[in-house]
């Protein structure tokens, strides 16, 4: 009888982590800090300021608010907002340095992506993969920072996964449930690791068991890939403040605009999930607009850059006429390439991959500029953006990052 999947996964997390892996993790840390900074003045943040939470704990709610958080395509999830908050909270427990946090993040991304990529279409139709795979990743990240042994780490992942959830119904109603999903995934994973360090045991077959996660939520789960390299290198950065399913058409629109060829009417052809999630010709709220292919095209056609201010109620009202010029349909060939490739065609111009993907990477300068842009949107002065860049890209002090978040959000 083969060993439980979580045991096999945890053993792969003990592989060496190189300076190249840590350098990649630093970029994702800065990217997450940028997303947190930009969300400081959102309605979600205003709710959090009424709660008795520290800055680092509040940050765990905010990394995905602007829809600019990093994303793994085939796993269909956003690791950054879940992993970093859990790793930093664990670091505070044991006074860990930043290298320990970076290593924990690399392992957390690995566990979260591996499990998320094993979910099938039935799962994604009803469950928010960031919420269902997230607790596993947060437990792996926190457990690494806390120095858990193999048995403890298996217990942490199994207990975190045993209470996983996150229904997509929240997409159909106004509310802050998506941020609740992210925060609970990080919190549950961290606490599962903390309790495992105190001796709490778990159920290792929580994935594949007869009443486990796969049986409950999947029709045909995919194999758990255990022999890949560190998968943080597969994660995409998001340049624009919209749902990732809208990014391919934004990229097409920018290319056409640069060529002087972005003219109405606008014909969008893309993959089925992009339409299922983002076919919203008449968005009402800011969240609706971020999940609207029609609004995404209108934003770029109007000369804007798909920044947070381009999805506000004011922008929604101003761009109504342009949205009415956009038609949306599925192209089955593009759907067949998904989710390994998020592509789109706009007025005949097709892009298979999108800026920020590993095939079309952005460099450190782009992430630093994102930090500056979002810090300004969140009401922070330029020196705070520089502070974040220095701590994330050059520093070795995890406590200094916790202090930064306290200053921003405390």
């Amino acid at each position: 009888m083969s060993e439980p999947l979580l045991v096999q996964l945890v053993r792969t997390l003990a592989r060496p982590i190189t300076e190249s892996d840590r350098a990649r993790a630093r970029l994702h840390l800065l990217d997450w800090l940028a997303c947190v900074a930009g969300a400081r003045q959102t309605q979600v943040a205003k709710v959090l300021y009424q709660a008795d939470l520290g800055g680092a704990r509040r940050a765990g709610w905010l990394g995905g608010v602007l829809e600019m958080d990093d994303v793994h395509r085939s796993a269909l999830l956003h690791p950054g907002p879940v992993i970093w908050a859990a790793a930093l909270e664990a670091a505070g427990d044991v006074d860990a340095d930043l290298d320990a946090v970076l290593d924990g993040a690399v392992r957390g991304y690995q566990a979260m992506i591996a499990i998320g990529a094993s979910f099938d279409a039935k799962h994604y139709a009803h469950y928010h993969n960031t919420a269902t795979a997230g607790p596993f990743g947060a437990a792996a990240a926190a457990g690494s920072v806390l120095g858990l042994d193999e048995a403890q780490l298996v217990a942490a992942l199994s207990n975190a996964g045993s209470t996983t959830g996150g229904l997509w119904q929240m997409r159909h109603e106004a509310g802050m449930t998506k941020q609740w999903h992210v925060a609970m995934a990080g919190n549950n994973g961290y606490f599962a690791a903390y309790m495992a360090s105190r001796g709490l045991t778990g159920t290792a077959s929580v994935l594949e068991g007869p009443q486990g996660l796969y049986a409950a939520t999947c029709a045909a789960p995919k194999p758990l890939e255990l022999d890949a390299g560190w998968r943080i290198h597969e994660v995409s950065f998001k340049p624009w403040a919209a749902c990732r399913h809208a990014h391919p058409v934004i990229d097409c629109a920018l290319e056409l605009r640069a060529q002087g060829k972005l003219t109405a009417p606008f014909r969008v052809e893309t993959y089925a999930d992009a339409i299922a999630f983002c076919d919203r010709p008449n968005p009402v709220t800011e969240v609706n607009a971020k999940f609207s292919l029609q609004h995404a095209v209108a934003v770029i056609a109007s000369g804007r850059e798909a920044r947070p201010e381009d999805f506000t109620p004011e922008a929604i009202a101003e761009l109504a006429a342009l949205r009415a010029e956009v038609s949306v349909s599925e192209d089955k060939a593009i759907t067949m390439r998904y989710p390994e490739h998020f592509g789109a065609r706009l007025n005949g111009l097709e892009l298979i991959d999108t800026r920020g993907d590993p095939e079309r990477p952005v460099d450190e300068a782009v992430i630093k500029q994102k930090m500056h842009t979002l810090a300004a949107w969140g009401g922070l002065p330029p020196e705070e953006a520089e502070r974040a860049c220095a701590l994330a890209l050059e520093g070795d002090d995890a406590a200094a990052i916790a202090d930064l978040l306290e200053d921003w959000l405390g």
Side-chain angles (χ1 to χ4, degrees):
M1 189 177 199
S2 62
E3 290 181 301
L5 291 176
L6 283 186
V7 174
Q8 298 177 49
L9 173 61
V10 164
R11 285 185 180 158
T12 70
L13 300 182
R15 291 176 298 188
I17 294 172
T18 69
E19 283 305 314
S20 174
D21 303 321
R22 294 188 186 103
R24 176 71 182 205
R26 286 180 181 274
L27 289 177
H28 287 278
L29 171 58
L30 180 59
D31 188 72
W32 173 69
L33 289 172
C35 293
V36 171
R40 289 177 67 251
Q41 297 179 337
T42 61
Q43 287 301 313
V44 176
K46 291 174 183 176
V47 171
L48 293 175
Y49 295 141
Q50 307 305 311
D52 186 18
L53 301 172
R57 182 63 67 89
R58 286 177 176 148
W61 289 75
L62 297 179
V65 172
L66 298 181
E67 297 294 339
M68 297 190 77
D69 42 332
D70 60 13
V71 59
H72 189 275
R73 290 170 297 178
S74 60
L76 295 168
L77 49 72
H78 304 275
V82 174
I83 299 302
W84 290 109
L88 286 167
E89 186 153 7
D93 291 339
V94 294
D95 195 24
D97 63 17
L98 189 58
D99 272 357
V101 171
L102 297 172
D103 288 358
V106 170
R107 294 183 174 111
Y109 273 67
Q110 190 81 6
M112 186 172 174
I113 291 166
I115 291 172
S118 72
F119 296 148
D120 64 358
K122 177 187 176 184
H123 184 100
Y124 190 59
H126 298 282
Y127 288 93
H128 181 192
N129 284 11
T130 300
T132 46
F136 294 98
S144 173
V145 175
L146 294 173
L148 300 189
D149 63 27
E150 181 182 298
Q152 291 172 321
L153 197 53
V154 171
L157 267 69
S158 68
N159 286 331
S162 71
T163 57
T164 194
L167 296 170
W168 271 131
Q169 183 58 33
M170 53 85 175
R171 293 194 302 110
H172 304 288
E173 302 173 36
M176 301 176 184
T177 306
K178 191 173 185 184
Q179 284 68 55
W180 173 262
H181 284 183
V182 170
M184 290 305 99
N187 288 346
N188 288 347
Y190 158 75
F191 194 53
Y194 175 85
M195 292 304 296
S197 75
R198 267 52 180 176
L200 193 71
T201 59
T203 308
S205 58
V206 69
L207 286 174
E208 75 275 24
Q211 291 183 293
L213 186 59
Y214 291 154
T217 66
C218 297
K222 303 168 190 173
L224 190 66
E225 296 290 342
L226 300 175
D227 57 354
W230 292 116
R231 301 186 75 173
I232 193 169
H233 297 280
E234 301 173 4
V235 178
S236 300
F237 295 100
K238 293 173 68 175
W240 305 299
C243 172
R244 183 59 175 78
H245 292 308
H247 279 217
V249 75
I250 291 173
D251 206 2
C252 286
L254 285 167
E255 292 283 341
L256 287 171
R257 192 176 76 183
Q259 299 171 21
K261 298 178 180 178
L262 184 59
T263 57
F266 308 107
R267 303 177 306 282
V268 175
E269 299 163 274
T270 188
Y271 52 93
D273 266 353
I275 295 171
F277 279 77
C278 296
D279 184 8
R280 296 175 186 266
N282 299 300
V284 176
T285 67
E286 189 168 338
V287 172
N288 289 162
K290 289 172 180 287
F291 281 77
S292 170
L293 295 169
Q294 292 87 349
H295 189 79
V297 174
V299 163
I300 304 305
S302 70
R304 301 167 184 245
E305 301 297 332
R307 295 174 178 153
E309 59 265 32
D310 300 324
F311 299 87
T312 61
E314 294 77 12
I316 292 170
E318 290 171 12
L319 298 177
L322 278 172
R323 282 196 306 274
E325 297 279 358
V326 182
S327 62
V328 172
S329 63
E330 180 191 0
D331 182 285
K332 293 191 181 299
I334 298 175
T335 297
M336 288 293 291
R337 292 195 293 265
Y338 169 84
E340 286 74 18
H341 302 276
F342 282 38
R345 186 183 301 110
L346 176 62
N347 287 6
L349 174 67
E350 181 175 352
L351 293 175
I352 294 173
D353 297 302
T354 301
R355 264 178 275 187
D357 286 341
E359 297 85 357
R360 296 181 63 202
V362 294
D363 60 17
E364 179 182 298
V366 171
I367 306 302
K368 290 173 75 172
Q369 183 56 52
K370 181 177 178 179
M371 178 74 244
H372 277 271
T373 298
L374 293 186
W377 178 249
L380 290 169
E383 53 266 30
E384 283 301 298
E386 286 298 326
R387 178 186 175 194
C389 290
L391 289 174
L393 298 178
E394 303 166 17
D396 59 5
D397 190 350
I401 293 176
D403 291 342
L404 172 86
L405 293 170
E406 192 66 35
D407 291 344
W408 288 0
L409 304 171

